[in-house]
Amino acid sequence: MPFRRPIFVLFISILFSMPVVAQTTTPAFLNLNDRQNCWVDSVFTNMSADDRIAQLIMVAGYSNRRPSYEDSLVRLVQTAKLGGVVMFQGGPVRQAQLTNRLQAVSKVPLLIAMDAEWGLAMRLDSTVRYPYQMTLGAMQGNDSLIYRMGANLARQARRLGMQINFAPTVDVNNNPNNPVINFRSFGENKYDVARKALAYVKGMQDNQLLTSIKHFPGHGDTGTDSHYDLPLIAKSRPQLDSLELYPFRELIKAGAAGVMVAHLSVPALDTTRNRPSTLSPAIVTNLLKNELGFQGLTFSDAMNMKALTKYFPSGQADELGIEAGLDVLEFTEDVPAALAKIKQAVAAGRISQASLDARCLKVLRAKVWAGLDQYKPIDLTNLVSDLNSVQDDLLNRKLTEASLTVLKNDRNLLPLQRLDTLRIASVAVESDKITAFQQMAANYTQVNHFNITSRTPDSTLAQVRDSLKNYNLILVDVHLNNIRPAARYGLQTKTAALVSELVATGKAVVTVFGNPYVLDKLTFPMDTVQTARNIEQARAVVMPYQLTNYTEELSAQLIFGAIGASGKLPVTVNQRFRFGDGITIQPIGRMKYTIPEEVGIDSRYLAQQVDSLVNVGISRKAFPGCVVQMAKDGKVIFRKAYGNHTYDASLGAEPKPVQLDDLYDMASVTKVSTSTPALMRLVDEGKFNLDGKMADYLPFLKKSNKADLVWRDVLTHQARLKAWIPFWMDTKNPDGTWKPKTFKSERSGRYPIEVTDSLFEFKNYPKVIYQQIRDSPLNEKKEYVYSDLSFIMYPLVVKRVTGVNFEEYVKSTFFRPLGATTLTFNPRRFYSLDRIVPTEYDSLFRKTLIWGRVHDEGAAMLNGLSGHAGLFGSANDLMKVYDMYRRMGSYGGQQLISQKTMAEFTRYQFPELGNRRGLGFDKPSFTYSGNAPRSATKASFGHSGFTGTFVWVDPDPAYNLTYVFLCNRVYPTRNNNTLSNLNTRTNIVEALYQATKRGIQ
C-alpha cells in the first residue's frame, strides 16, 4: 500500500507539539524508512478506535502454568486485540511455544517483553544468567564488556521472539536498606550508573532490542518496596535534579528507546496525596516528556503492584496512567475494565483521541523497527543450545573477573605466594558439601576442606575448631543464598558468629559470596558474639558480590594469583567499607582455568577432535582410560578424564571411571620431571658442570669406562651408554629361585625394600645395581641411543652435591613451591589405591598386578625411587612443572630455574650430528617420526613414558602451549603397542595446534 502522508504528519505533529527543553537524540525506532512507515500507515488505517487503545496494553504471560491458563491468555489477547505480552516465569521452549500461539491469533504482531535485567535467567530456566548490575558496578574501565552483554542479550531475546527488555535499572542506590532496587542498581555514583547503563542500552539497541530504562524518576532512595506499598521519596527538586534524575537525563539524551515510570510518591514533583508518579501528569508529561524531552515509549511499572492498587482500583489506575501521559500500560490485570475506563475518559474529553492515536503510532513504529512487520514464528530447533552460547560463558567469566574486589590485604598476603610454607584449610560456611570455590582452590595446592552451616551440631564444630589449629592459613568462603535486605542477605545469626570466630584466629582470608551490604552485618558484633570479633580482623577480604560458579571459581583463582583484581566497591556499606574501596592485585603467573574461547580456540572443534582420537584409542584397547589436559598461554582450556582404570576386574582392580585427579605412573616422564630440573637448579647454583665428566660427580666411576664421559653427551643420549640393563634377571638361579642376598618373601631388617606385598629386597642390593651400571660395556659408536642408565644415577649426584636425598630435594625445590603436591614416589604411602590407577600385570618378575608401585623393574629394585622412573601424580600437578618450563623457569612469582639454563637445556644440542635431543628433553625430529606433533616448532620439547604418558611444551609465541597425557597403556600387559601404532598422544596435541591455527569460526 502506498505511504499515506496525512497519518505520518498526524503522528509527527502530535509528537513534536509538546514543548521540549532538553536537546535529546531521537530514539532509533522513530527513524524509519519509507517501507517501514508504509507498514505502520497500513496497519494503523485498518484499526478501529478501540483497537488503537488496545495496542497500549500489555498483559502478563507465564509459560510454567497449566494449559487452561495458556488457553485463557490466548483468548484474551485475541479478543481484546492487545498490543503486547510481558513474559514472566517459565522455560525457553515453553515460552517460545506460547509466544507462537499468541502471535498466531494476533492480527497485529505482539510486542513480547520481559524484565531481563541480568539476562533471560531472571525469568526463565535453562538460559544465561549475567551478573547483577551492582556486580557490574564494581568494574573499572570495562564498559565494552557491558556493551557486549547487552548485544548478546539482544541476540538471545530475538532468538526467543522478544522485542523489549525492561532494563536496565538506572536508579542510583544510595539507600543501603532499599528493599527493591539494591543489587539491581549499578551503585551509588550517578556518573557510574549513567555510563554503565548507557553501555548496556547501546549494546541492546544497536542489536535491535528495545529497552526501557527504569524506575523514573528514581527508586534508589527508599526503604519501601513498591510491590507492597507506595514508597515516599522525600527529596527536594534540586536534590532530585542533582542525583536521581541525572542518569535518566543522560540516557534520554543518548536516545534511550523507553522509560519505565515507577509507582512512587514524590511530593517535590507532585503534591497530590497518595498519587503515584505513574499516574501523575506533572511527572509523566510535564517532567519526563516536556522538560526532559523524552520522545520514546513511556511504560508504566506493573499495574498490579500494591503501591498502585492500594489507592486506585483496577481499571481506574489504567485510565489515570494514560491520562497522565503513559504510552503503554504493563501488566494490566483487568483488561475489560481498563479499556472501558479509558474509553469513558475519551468520551468525557479527559483523553483526546488524537493523543491515543499518536501513542498507538509510536507503538507500531516500535514494532516495525523490531522486525515485526516481517514476523516469523520462533523456530524451536536447537533453541536451548542457541540461547546458551559458549561466547556467553566467556563473557560471564570476563564480567565476573573484572568485578572481583579485594577490600583488605594485610601485608600483601594476596595473591598467595610460597605455597611450600602454607598449610591451608578451606572452610565453607553455609554449605554442607564441597563448593566450586573449594574445588578450584584444590587445583593450586593441597587444601583440606571443612564444611559448616548454622545447623552444624556443636560437637562437630568443636572437632573443626580443633582440626583448624593445624593450619596457618584458613580460606573462609561464606555462601549466602539470599541477596535481599529483608532476609538479612541470607546471613543467619549463627553464621555471623561462625565467621567472627574464624576471623578471630588471625589466619583467615574471607570471601563473601553475597550482597556487599552484608559486610555491615559482619563488621560489628552480632547479638550472640560477646567480643568485637568482626571481618576487619581477617587477613584479607574478597568481595565477589554474588554466589555463582563463576564467582566461586574466579575468586579462588584470584587468591592463588592466576588472575588479578581491579574492582572497586560501588556502594558505601559503612565507615569501614566505602564507595571506591578496592585494592588492585596483579597476577603472579599460576595457571588459570578457563575455556578455549578465551585464547581464541573453538571449544566444540577441539573437544570433537580430542574425543574422537581418545575414543578410537579406547575402542581399540590401546588403553583402558586416560586424562588429557591442555593449556595455552598459561590458561588451562581442556581437562577431561576418559574411560576406566581397567578393562575388567579379572586382576583384582575394579574398572572404575577415571577421575581428573587420579594418579598415574609417569614412567620416563620422571626423567624430565625430577632428574632434569634438579640438574638445572644445580647448574644455576654453579654446582654442576654440563661439560664436566661423570667421575667428577660420581667418584665410584673413576676407574670405569664411564669416568671420562661428558655430561652433555650423557644427557643427550650419545655417550655410548647401553639402553638398559635387566637388573632383576641377575637375581634368579637357573631353577627360578632367588639368589642369596636378593629377595625374600617376608620383610626383615636385612630385607626392608618392599617390591611387592610379598617380595622384599636385600638392603644393599641397590649398590649392586650401581655396580652393574659401572661395569656395563659401552656401545662402540658415539651416536644417539636412548638410555636409562645415567638417569638411574642422578639421585646419587644430587645427594652428593646437596646432601639432601633425591625425593626431598625435588619436592622441596620444585613440587611444593609449585603446589604440585601429588607428585611423589611410592604413592601408597600417601594415597588410597582408589586414587591410583593400576599400571600392569608383571608376569615375569613380580608375578602380580603392579598398582601404586613403579612399573619399571630397576626402579622397583631401588625402593621405587629413581631418576628414570617411579614418579606418580595427577595430570594437573604434572602440568604445573611443564608450565613452569614454558614460562622459562618462573611460576607463582618465583624464578625456580633461570631463563638462561632453561634455554640451554631445551635447545638442540647436537643438530649437526642428527641428534634431536635437548639436555634431558626430547625435541621434534628433523624429519617427522611421530615422536612429536607434526606442527611442533623447533622451540618445543617434551618426553614420553613407557606406560603411555606424554608431556609437551611449545613456547613459540604462535602456540605457547602445554600438554599432558596420562594413561596406563601397559594394562594388563606391556606387550600392547596399539597406542604407539595409533600415534594417539601426539595426534591429540596436534589437534591443539590445528585448533589454534583454525581459531573460532
Side-chain angles (χ1 to χ4, degrees):
M1 181 180 290
F3 171 58
R4 294 180 181 270
R5 188 70 180 175
I7 294 176
F8 176 67
V9 171
L10 168 67
F11 169 70
I12 295 298
S13 62
I14 295 174
L15 178 64
F16 291 101
S17 63
M18 304 175 293
V20 177
V21 175
Q23 295 296 313
T24 63
T25 299
T26 302
F29 77 88
L30 296 177
N31 297 317
L32 304 181
N33 58 38
D34 286 349
R35 180 192 62 78
Q36 293 170 319
N37 280 319
C38 186
W39 183 88
V40 172
D41 180 27
S42 173
V43 172
F44 180 82
T45 301
N46 288 287
M47 283 181 169
S48 67
D50 288 353
D51 293 344
R52 295 170 188 176
I53 295 173
Q55 284 296 300
L56 311 185
I57 293 179
M58 303 182 80
V59 293
Y62 297 82
S63 61
N64 64 345
R65 297 189 178 179
R66 295 181 177 181
S68 59
Y69 161 80
E70 293 190 5
D71 292 342
S72 64
L73 177 62
V74 170
R75 285 194 300 270
L76 174 63
V77 168
Q78 183 177 25
T79 57
K81 300 180 181 179
L82 300 179
V85 177
V86 185
M87 292 296 188
F88 288 87
Q89 282 74 24
V93 174
R94 290 169 290 167
Q95 178 169 309
Q97 292 170 331
L98 178 58
T99 299
N100 284 344
R101 285 189 66 191
L102 293 168
Q103 294 286 21
V105 301
S106 300
K107 184 177 179 181
V108 179
L110 297 161
L111 280 175
I112 303 298
M114 183 184 289
D115 283 296
E117 296 166 20
W118 54 85
L120 301 181
M122 182 171 173
R123 301 299 183 191
L124 303 179
D125 61 39
S126 307
T127 54
V128 174
R129 173 184 292 273
Y130 293 113
Y132 298 138
Q133 287 185 201
M134 186 165 288
T135 305
L136 301 178
M139 294 167 50
Q140 304 298 307
N142 286 285
D143 294 344
S144 62
L145 291 178
I146 299 177
Y147 177 92
R148 284 177 53 194
M149 183 181 79
N152 284 16
L153 180 52
R155 170 184 54 78
Q156 297 161 19
R158 294 198 316 272
R159 179 67 179 87
L160 195 57
M162 290 169 46
Q163 294 78 41
I164 306 175
N165 184 9
F166 289 139
T169 297
V170 301
D171 303 304
V172 180
N173 199 83
N174 51 358
N175 185 334
N177 296 315
N178 193 319
V180 63
I181 304 303
N182 204 286
F183 64 92
R184 297 164 63 193
S185 167
F186 285 109
E188 70 180 43
N189 181 277
K190 64 181 181 180
Y191 303 108
D192 288 348
V193 169
R195 191 184 72 252
K196 292 176 186 294
L198 178 58
Y200 193 6
V201 165
K202 285 183 63 63
M204 289 186 281
Q205 293 185 178
D206 287 354
N207 290 276
Q208 208 177 357
L209 182 66
L210 295 163
T211 65
S212 179
I213 60 176
K214 57 189 183 184
H215 303 81
F216 187 82
H219 209 321
D221 192 5
T222 175
T224 302
D225 187 342
S226 52
H227 291 86
Y228 305 107
D229 206 343
L230 181 64
L232 172 67
I233 305 296
K235 288 197 168 186
S236 67
R237 176 60 194 265
Q239 288 175 316
L240 293 170
D241 280 335
S242 174
L243 185 66
E244 277 80 3
L245 291 175
Y246 177 82
F248 291 98
R249 186 181 295 113
E250 293 303 303
L251 268 75
I252 289 169
K253 288 180 183 177
V259 171
M260 178 180 287
V261 182
H263 309 310
L264 303 169
S265 174
V266 192
L269 301 177
D270 189 330
T271 58
T272 307
R273 181 178 174 81
N274 293 331
R275 176 185 279 175
S277 47
T278 338
L279 311 185
S280 169
I283 293 174
V284 178
T285 297
N286 295 344
L287 176 58
L288 177 59
K289 293 186 173 183
N290 294 350
E291 185 177 334
L292 299 185
F294 180 60
Q295 304 168 39
L297 286 169
T298 304
F299 296 92
S300 74
D301 206 342
M303 298 298 288
N304 69 328
M305 293 167 66
K306 293 291 193 298
L308 202 66
T309 59
K310 181 177 180 179
Y311 302 101
F312 299 90
S314 181
Q316 181 185 6
D318 300 272
E319 180 269 318
L320 291 174
I322 294 295
E323 188 176 339
L326 294 172
D327 296 322
V328 179
L329 303 172
E330 181 220 341
F331 209 143
T332 290
E333 284 195 300
D334 190 338
V335 171
L339 291 172
K341 289 285 186 181
I342 294 170
K343 288 169 65 176
Q344 290 173 10
V346 173
R350 295 193 303 274
I351 302 173
S352 71
Q353 185 63 48
S355 70
L356 289 176
D357 289 348
R359 285 179 254 196
C360 177
L361 283 166
K362 195 188 296 187
V363 170
L364 293 176
R365 291 167 74 80
K367 289 185 175 185
V368 71
W369 180 86
L372 286 174
D373 59 324
Q374 302 177 52
Y375 166 76
K376 294 180 181 179
I378 303 164
D379 182 0
L380 302 182
T381 307
N382 300 323
L383 177 60
V384 174
S385 60
D386 289 347
L387 294 176
N388 290 273
S389 164
V390 69
Q391 290 299 327
D392 293 309
D393 183 2
L394 177 60
L395 179 59
N396 250 320
R397 292 171 183 273
K398 290 185 175 182
L399 290 167
T400 303
E401 182 176 339
S403 67
L404 295 177
T405 305
V406 176
L407 293 173
K408 187 179 182 186
N409 192 24
D410 281 356
R411 299 183 182 180
N412 298 316
L413 175 66
L414 302 184
L416 299 178
Q417 301 186 48
R418 291 301 308 273
L419 297 181
D420 52 326
T421 67
L422 300 176
R423 300 183 306 281
I424 304 176
S426 73
V427 181
V429 180
E430 290 297 5
S431 177
D432 56 8
K433 56 186 176 182
I434 300 299
T435 66
F437 174 89
Q438 291 175 309
Q439 290 175 335
M440 182 58 70
N443 284 330
Y444 289 97
T445 190
Q446 175 65 43
V447 179
N448 293 329
H449 305 310
F450 302 87
N451 294 73
I452 58 178
T453 74
S454 52
R455 302 174 303 280
T456 301
D458 289 343
S459 58
T460 302
L461 290 175
Q463 294 173 359
V464 171
R465 290 187 191 98
D466 189 58
S467 296
L468 291 178
K469 295 175 183 178
N470 299 316
Y471 301 90
N472 59 10
L473 185 71
I474 305 172
L475 304 180
V476 181
D477 49 310
V478 185
H479 294 252
L480 302 177
N481 58 10
N482 198 306
I483 53 175
R484 299 184 182 278
R488 295 174 57 84
Y489 312 108
L491 183 69
Q492 303 295 320
T493 301
K494 188 172 181 180
T495 306
L498 291 172
V499 174
S500 295
E501 183 177 343
L502 289 168
V503 299
T505 65
K507 300 185 289 188
V509 172
V510 181
T511 306
V512 181
F513 296 104
N515 191 309
Y517 288 120
V518 78
L519 292 171
D520 190 52
K521 309 293 184 186
L522 294 169
T523 304
F524 301 103
M526 305 294 290
D527 294 340
T528 58
V529 181
Q530 299 303 312
T531 59
R533 297 176 294 178
N534 58 59
I535 201 168
E536 288 188 87
Q537 292 177 269
R539 296 186 64 187
V541 177
V542 178
M543 172 48 66
Y545 300 97
Q546 58 189 102
L547 177 60
T548 69
N549 276 347
Y550 295 114
T551 57
E552 288 196 62
E553 291 182 359
L554 287 165
S555 294
Q557 297 197 52
L558 160 66
I559 288 170
F560 283 93
I563 62 175
S566 59
K568 304 292 182 183
L569 201 60
V571 292
T572 294
V573 174
N574 52 33
Q575 291 299 312
R576 173 61 182 86
F577 300 111
R578 304 186 62 82
F579 167 81
D581 285 353
I583 301 166
T584 299
I585 300 291
Q586 298 297 332
I588 58 172
R590 288 198 180 101
M591 294 189 304
K592 180 181 182 181
Y593 297 82
T594 184
I595 59 176
E597 279 70 16
E598 184 164 338
V599 294
I601 289 175
D602 187 322
S603 56
R604 285 187 295 182
Y605 171 82
L606 181 61
Q608 287 169 357
Q609 299 301 307
V610 177
D611 286 353
S612 176
L613 291 164
V614 172
N615 290 334
V616 168
I618 291 176
S619 66
R620 296 277 298 274
K621 292 198 171 181
F623 46 88
C626 68
V627 176
V628 178
Q629 184 158 325
M630 297 173 167
K632 185 181 187 307
D633 303 331
K635 299 176 176 67
V636 178
I637 58 170
F638 190 95
R639 300 177 71 202
K640 191 169 182 179
Y642 298 85
N644 298 302
H645 283 196
T646 62
Y647 296 111
D648 54 47
S650 60
L651 296 177
E654 294 294 331
K656 64 184 297 259
V658 175
Q659 304 296 319
L660 286 174
D661 60 355
D662 283 342
L663 277 61
Y664 278 85
D665 183 333
M666 305 293 181
S668 285
V669 169
T670 302
K671 294 180 174 72
V672 286
S673 306
T674 61
S675 297
T676 303
L679 293 180
M680 285 194 279
R681 173 59 76 89
L682 295 179
V683 168
D684 277 342
E685 295 173 347
K687 297 176 180 177
F688 187 81
N689 179 7
L690 290 169
D691 295 307
K693 299 177 181 180
M694 289 191 77
D696 295 342
Y697 300 94
L698 296 170
F700 77 97
L701 298 179
K702 281 185 177 179
K703 295 183 180 181
S704 73
N705 55 7
K706 298 168 186 63
D708 295 327
L709 297 183
V710 177
W711 285 111
R712 192 179 297 273
D713 288 331
V714 171
L715 283 163
T716 52
H717 300 277
Q718 63 173 29
R720 299 165 56 206
L721 294 174
K722 292 292 184 183
W724 69 297
I725 298 173
F727 302 107
W728 69 273
M729 295 181 69
D730 289 335
T731 63
K732 283 207 167 185
N733 294 309
D735 62 359
T737 59
W738 300 115
K739 292 180 180 179
K741 294 187 178 180
T742 56
F743 294 104
K744 295 288 187 182
S745 60
E746 294 182 357
R747 189 197 305 269
S748 67
R750 287 169 58 81
Y751 290 85
I753 301 173
E754 183 179 301
V755 178
T756 72
D757 290 339
S758 58
L759 188 63
F760 300 89
E761 185 180 272
F762 183 61
K763 61 181 180 180
N764 293 328
Y765 200 83
K767 294 180 180 179
V768 176
I769 292 175
Y770 298 131
Q771 290 169 359
Q772 288 178 300
I773 295 174
R774 181 195 63 189
D775 297 337
S776 64
L778 296 175
N779 297 323
E780 292 185 6
K781 186 178 180 181
K782 182 180 179 180
E783 60 184 357
Y784 173 66
V785 174
Y786 181 80
S787 174
D788 282 345
L789 300 187
S790 72
F791 284 88
I792 292 174
M793 296 190 290
Y794 289 131
L796 301 179
V797 173
V798 170
K799 179 63 180 293
R800 183 173 185 275
V801 172
T802 67
V804 180
N805 75 66
F806 186 63
E807 181 176 20
E808 176 56 30
Y809 183 81
V810 294
K811 284 185 174 180
S812 61
T813 305
F814 299 106
F815 299 163
R816 293 190 194 112
L818 290 170
T821 54
T822 66
L823 297 184
T824 187
F825 296 90
N826 296 312
R828 282 174 170 238
R829 295 175 294 169
F830 312 110
Y831 300 97
S832 70
L833 288 179
D834 285 344
R835 182 90 180 268
I836 306 170
V837 179
T839 308
E840 65 170 324
Y841 183 82
D842 183 352
S843 61
L844 298 176
F845 169 35
R846 289 162 284 187
K847 310 290 187 180
T848 189
L849 175 64
I850 306 305
W851 189 1
R853 296 187 175 97
V854 59
H855 86 289
D856 182 90
E857 298 91 340
M861 296 171 69
L862 291 168
N863 203 19
L865 199 157
S866 177
H868 78 297
L871 185 68
F872 285 73
S874 69
N876 187 57
D877 278 352
L878 187 63
M879 181 168 274
K880 294 171 187 176
V881 176
Y882 291 87
D883 204 56
M884 180 263 290
Y885 292 160
R886 184 194 60 82
R887 298 172 191 265
M888 296 302 289
S890 175
Y891 193 85
Q894 297 182 76
Q895 192 72 41
L896 300 175
I897 302 169
S898 72
Q899 294 185 24
K900 178 182 178 181
T901 299
M902 278 300 314
E904 179 64 21
F905 270 70
T906 57
R907 72 174 179 87
Y908 290 108
Q909 294 291 312
F910 298 102
E912 69 280 3
L913 300 179
N915 185 333
R916 71 171 191 256
R917 307 293 297 206
L919 295 171
F921 295 103
D922 198 5
K923 290 181 67 66
S925 298
F926 302 110
T927 58
Y928 180 70
S929 67
N931 80 301
R934 287 184 180 274
S935 297
T937 70
K938 292 182 178 179
S940 65
F941 54 92
H943 214 283
S944 61
F946 186 79
T947 54
T949 55
F950 189 79
V951 290
W952 200 255
V953 176
D954 197 333
D956 187 290
Y959 301 107
N960 207 23
L961 61 85
T962 316
Y963 167 68
V964 171
F965 179 92
L966 300 182
C967 83
N968 53 336
R969 69 98 190 164
V970 294
Y971 185 91
T973 172
R974 63 179 62 188
N975 297 322
N976 177 9
N977 294 316
T978 308
L979 179 66
S980 296
N981 295 336
L982 292 173
N983 214 18
T984 301
R985 295 174 290 185
T986 55
N987 284 343
I988 290 175
V989 70
E990 176 62 25
L992 178 55
Y993 278 98
Q994 294 302 322
T996 302
K997 295 175 185 178
R998 181 178 183 272
I1000 299 174
Q1001 298 182 5

